[in-house]
Amino acid sequence: MIPSAVKIAPSLLAADFANLGEEVARIEDHVEMLHLDVMDGHFVPNISFGMPVVTAVRTVTRLPLDCHLMTTNPVDYLEDFRQAGADSVSVHIEVLPDPTKAMERSAELGLGFAVAINPSTPFAAIEPFVEGCSMILVMSVEPGFGGQEFIDDVLPKVEQARSWIEDHQLDTDLQIDGGVDPDTASRCVAAGANVLVAGSAVFGQDDSVEAIRRLRGET
Ligand code: DX5
Ligand code: ZN
C-alpha cells in the first residue's frame, strides 16, 4: 500500500499538445503538481518546449509547475522560467557539477530547487548539495524521451538518498522520473521516493484519473 503522502507529478511531455488546457483540466484535481520537461537538443538529443509553454500552462492551472531543465545553461534562464510561472526547477548535476550558483539564484527568485541525477551518476555526486535542495530528482531512464522502460538499477540509489535524507532529518522531497507505472511506482515508493513523475502512465491512458489512483496504489 502506497502511503497517501505520495505526490503525483504528471509529465506534460505525454499530453496532447494541441489540447493542453483540456489535458491539464482532466487531471488537475487529482495530482499535487505538474512536471514540465524542458529539453534543448544539447544536453539531451531531443527538443521539447520552453518558456512560452510554461506561460500558457500557467494560465490554465493553479497547480505548482515543476520545470525539469534538461539544458546545458540552466542558470541563464532561471529568471525567465520564474517569470513564465514556474514554481520550482530541477537542474542536472551532469551539467553543473557544482550547482551552488543555480541554487542561490533560485532562492533569490523564490523558486524551489532540485538537483537531478542521471541513472549512471552516483549519489555521491549530489551529496554535498542535498541540504540546499527542496527536492532531489533521480532519473530512472536516460533523459530525453518519454515512454522508456524503467531502469531497476536505480532503486538502490533511491534507498541511499532516502537514508541520507532521514539521517540528516531533512524533509527533502525525493522524486523519481522515467518509466513509472503502477508496478514500478510501488517499488519506487518502497525504496523511499515520495514524488512520482509519470507521463505515459497518466496522459497516455484513456482514464487518467483512474491511472493516477493506480499509481498511488489505491486500486
Ligand atoms: C524524460 C523526462 C520524463 C518523461 C517521463 O527525459 O524527464 O519526465 O517525460 O515519461 P514517462 O513517464 O513516459 O517515462
Ligand atoms: Zn522529467
Side-chain angles (χ1 to χ4, degrees), residues 35 68 70 92 94 116-121 136-158 175-181 184-185 187-188 193 195-199:
H35 181 90
H68 178 189
M70 286 162 274
H92 273 264
E94 297 82 9
I117 185 171
N118 280 347
S120 59
T121 305
I136 296 169
L137 193 178
V138 175
M139 290 302 301
S140 40
V141 298
E142 293 302 332
F145 299 91
Q148 303 182 73
E149 197 177 327
F150 185 84
I151 299 172
D152 275 283
D153 287 354
V154 305
L155 288 174
K157 193 162 61 183
V158 174
Q175 184 179 63
I176 187 129
D177 181 11
V180 175
D181 61 21
T184 56
R187 284 186 278 143
C188 292
V195 184
L196 306 176
V197 175

Side-chain angles (χ1 to χ4, degrees), residues 41-127:
H42 291 277
F43 175 58
V44 290
N46 194 11
I47 298 176
S48 57
F49 53 77
M51 271 73 82
V53 171
V54 180
T55 305
V57 173
R58 182 72 286 165
T59 66
V60 298
T61 185
R62 53 167 179 79
L63 285 171
L65 302 183
D66 179 35
C67 293
H68 178 189
L69 306 181
M70 286 162 274
T71 63
T72 52
N73 52 348
V75 181
D76 295 351
Y77 296 99
L78 292 174
E79 189 165 356
D80 294 311
F81 278 107
R82 184 57 172 151
Q83 273 170 11
D87 295 283
S88 53
V89 291
S90 304
V91 305
H92 273 264
I93 199 78
E94 297 82 9
V95 172
L96 299 176
D98 181 349
T100 306
K101 228 189 237 165
M103 205 180 268
E104 288 171 355
R105 186 73 190 117
S106 297
E108 280 168 18
L109 292 165
L111 282 166
F113 184 82
V115 273
I117 185 171
N118 280 347
S120 59
T121 305
F123 176 71
I126 63 166
E127 188 180 327

